[in-house]
Amino acid sequence: MPEFLRRLWSTPPAPVVVDSLPLTSTTAAGLDVHAAIARHQRLRQRLLACSNGQCDPQLDAENLCFDHRCLLGQWLHGPGKARLGQHRGFVDLLEQHRMFHISASNVVSLARSGRQEQAQQMAERQMEAFSNGVLRRLHAMQAWVDRRNQRRQALVSQARAPLAKR
């Protein structure tokens, strides 16, 4: 009997671990996709409020332009790139995220310099487009993770089925 099956059958059922990450419906190479979507949407709302004249003092245009400083960016430029960097969808997500940060920085700069109409236009046209691109790609990643997890769970169930028949 192969070693992996012996280990699988000799231990009590526990959360299945794949690639040192718990097999959950929200984990993609170490990223909680649902949390990343929620954080991105909160930032987008703060930026839209800024473009409408209610700029949060903590929004800093100089920091916003760097896409590797937020939690999603840290994952994209670190573990995500190492594990998924060869996939076209990941490369698209990385680019949309980068452009979102550049446009977000411009929105804050325009709003803070009193050019509210330009800030609103940039937020509605560019920033929203890139934000929607990030969200679409994150949702696609979540769908991929869900499909992968369903396939893996089916394989684990199939492997454990002979045990139940004993």
Side-chain angles (χ1 to χ4, degrees):
M1 177 184 313
E3 179 61 29
F4 76 94
L5 286 177
R6 189 172 304 125
R7 276 185 283 151
L8 180 67
W9 290 336
S10 65
T11 58
V16 178
V17 177
V18 177
D19 299 330
S20 302
L21 296 172
L23 184 59
T24 68
S25 64
T26 59
T27 302
L31 175 71
D32 183 335
V33 181
H34 290 303
I37 290 169
R39 281 191 303 268
H40 180 82
Q41 289 174 326
R42 281 193 304 271
L43 175 58
R44 179 170 77 172
Q45 290 305 312
R46 290 173 59 207
L47 291 162
L48 289 172
C50 184
S51 75
N52 290 314
Q54 300 167 345
C55 211
D56 180 342
Q58 293 181 355
L59 287 176
D60 178 19
E62 290 181 22
N63 281 322
L64 269 174
C65 68
F66 296 104
D67 70 315
H68 64 279
R69 292 187 178 173
C70 70
L71 289 175
L72 176 57
Q74 290 171 10
W75 179 83
L76 287 169
H77 289 280
K81 191 172 196 174
R83 304 267 306 275
L84 302 171
Q86 72 279 9
H87 297 286
R88 181 177 176 204
F90 178 85
V91 174
D92 290 344
L93 172 58
L94 187 63
E95 183 63 17
Q96 290 291 311
H97 183 255
R98 183 179 73 82
M99 294 305 296
F100 168 76
H101 273 271
I102 291 170
S103 61
S105 176
N106 289 336
V107 166
V108 172
S109 292
L110 288 167
R112 292 254 166 86
S113 66
R115 297 184 284 178
Q116 216 59 47
E117 187 175 323
Q118 290 173 312
Q120 286 175 333
Q121 288 175 356
M122 176 152 296
E124 291 168 3
R125 293 180 186 157
Q126 291 181 1
M127 189 194 77
E128 277 288 287
F130 292 122
S131 177
N132 289 335
V134 168
L135 291 172
R136 271 193 311 275
R137 283 154 182 87
L138 285 172
H139 285 293
M141 182 185 298
Q142 182 60 53
W144 175 80
V145 167
D146 290 344
R147 285 190 308 273
R148 179 197 67 181
N149 289 343
Q150 287 172 354
R151 286 191 304 269
R152 289 182 178 178
Q153 285 291 69
L155 290 172
V156 168
S157 295
Q158 289 174 359
R160 290 183 178 164
L163 274 181
K165 291 180 183 178
R166 287 184 187 182

